């Protein structure tokens, strides 16, 4: 009898989920984690900012206070450097499938396109923080700004980023459009204004196509 093949990737996979406020990343991360776990994969769910104990403290500062733009950039980079070293790299070495709610693209979209911080400076900070660790696949959950903000408002009190102007959030969305155009090999747009089940259907197809081959079977 042939030995059964364990459903574990040879090296870990790194999937990031991105989008504006209320795009549905947390909801879809949970569904994707359940789906992959049922298939036998070891899944690590994490997020930025706040994926480590130090990151939790930085998250409080970042989401509660309006900081000078360069200070904000440096704190997101400090959060990410700690996260990469203490969580992401060890998980990949242990062949985990990482589902990370926000990563470097958030800095480009929010601090770059939203705040107007210099793109080269952001690229340098991302490089220092990640030591070049890039997601294998990025799921960009794209919703119109009005839809995302209405969902975020429906959930309760808004943090300092969610209270930014509509124009700010439109620029952030444009930032994601730019990134999708720049990195079509790793970034997939998901139409996230649809009902939760239909959004997940697109996500499971994108993950299947990227990791399991064209047949989508696994
Ligand atoms: N940030 C982060 C930066 O500026 N730079 C950086 O480098 C990084 C890493 C993070 C903040 O930090 C900023 C960006 C952010 O402002 P956060 O609390 O993690 O803050 O906020 P978000 O990531 O925006 O998380 P949210 O919880 O606001 O949005 P999600 O996770 O995208 O959405 P989710 O799943 O919580 O859903 C929101 C609501 O909508 C409903 C859900 O039930 C929930 O009530 N919903 C849907 N309703 C209808 N149809 C659907 N398809 C739905 N999907 C979800």
């Amino acid at each position: 009898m042939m030995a059964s093949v364990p459903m574990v990737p040879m090296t870990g996979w790194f999937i990031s989920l991105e989008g504006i406020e209320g795009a549905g990343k947390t909801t879809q991360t949970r569904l994707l984690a359940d789906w992959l776990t049922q298939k036998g994969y070891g899944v690590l769910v994490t997020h930025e900012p706040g994926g480590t104990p130090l990151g939790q403290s930085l998250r409080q500062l970042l989401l509660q206070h309006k900081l000078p733009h360069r200070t904000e950039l440096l704190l997101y980079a400090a959060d990410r450097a700690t996260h990469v070293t203490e969580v992401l790299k060890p998980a990949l070495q242990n062949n985990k499938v990482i589902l990370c709610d926000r990563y470097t693209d958030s800095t480009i979209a929010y601090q770059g396109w939203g705040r107007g911080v210099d793109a080269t400076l952001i690229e340098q900070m991302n490089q220092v923080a990640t030591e070049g660790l890039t997601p294998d696949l990025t799921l960009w959950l794209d919703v119109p700004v009005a839809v995302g903000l209405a969902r975020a408002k429906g959930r309760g009190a808004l943090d300092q980023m969610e209270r930014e102007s509509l124009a700010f959030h439109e620029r952030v969305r444009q930032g994601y459009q730019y990134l999708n155009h720049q990195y079509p090999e790793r970034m997939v747009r998901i139409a996230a204004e649809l009902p939760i089940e239909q959004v997940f259907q697109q996500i499971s197809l994108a993950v299947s196509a990227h990791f399991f081959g064209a047949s989508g079977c696994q």
Side-chain angles (χ1 to χ4, degrees):
M1 201 167 89
M2 281 183 46
S4 63
V5 180
M7 295 177 70
V8 174
M10 294 298 286
T11 59
W13 298 342
F14 181 10
I15 302 175
S16 60
L17 291 96
E18 293 281 356
I20 63 164
E21 316 296 316
K25 299 179 308 306
T26 310
T27 306
Q28 295 298 328
T29 298
R30 209 173 302 129
L31 292 172
L32 184 55
D34 289 348
W35 186 70
L36 288 167
T37 302
Q38 278 166 20
K39 287 181 174 295
Y41 293 96
V43 177
L44 176 91
V45 172
T46 187
H47 61 276
E48 292 189 0
T52 63
L54 172 67
Q56 282 296 332
S57 303
L58 294 174
R59 181 182 170 93
Q60 299 289 323
L61 288 171
L62 282 161
L63 298 192
Q64 285 171 14
H65 303 278
K66 191 141 188 186
L67 302 165
H69 293 175
R70 278 182 307 129
T71 308
E72 187 179 75
L73 177 66
L74 288 164
L75 291 183
Y76 278 115
D79 171 72
R80 181 161 304 130
T82 315
H83 194 213
V84 166
T85 304
E86 295 184 357
V87 177
L88 301 184
K89 284 189 173 175
L92 288 172
Q93 277 157 12
N94 284 320
N95 298 339
K96 296 282 186 201
V97 177
I98 296 172
L99 304 183
C100 188
D101 189 338
R102 298 195 180 282
Y103 191 61
T104 45
D105 296 320
S106 282
T107 316
I108 296 168
Y110 281 81
Q111 279 62 56
W113 286 72
R115 301 277 195 233
V117 176
D118 177 66
T120 306
L121 181 59
I122 290 177
E123 200 178 308
Q124 288 166 346
M125 294 311 304
N126 275 342
Q127 180 59 32
V128 169
T130 65
E131 295 181 314
L133 181 67
T134 307
D136 299 300
L137 174 66
T138 298
L139 300 164
W140 167 38
L141 275 63
D142 184 30
V143 285
V145 168
V147 173
L149 289 184
R151 286 183 192 164
K153 278 184 191 140
R155 222 190 21 202
L158 300 182
D159 63 40
Q160 64 94 1
M161 202 68 94
E162 288 163 345
R163 288 196 298 270
E164 286 288 347
S165 66
L166 279 180
F168 173 89
H169 293 288
E170 291 290 358
R171 288 198 300 278
V172 172
R173 188 179 182 208
Q174 282 167 18
Y176 282 119
Q177 278 162 352
Y178 162 82
L179 285 163
N180 187 220
H181 190 255
Q182 285 290 107
Y183 303 108
E185 69 291 344
R186 75 160 165 90
M187 195 164 191
V188 176
R189 179 184 176 273
I190 305 292
E193 75 281 11
L194 297 172
I196 290 172
E197 306 71 36
Q198 290 179 33
V199 177
F200 183 66
Q201 197 177 17
Q202 298 171 66
I203 286 180
S204 57
L205 281 174
V207 170
S208 296
H210 198 89
F211 294 106
F212 307 152
S215 69
C217 296
Q218 182 78 340

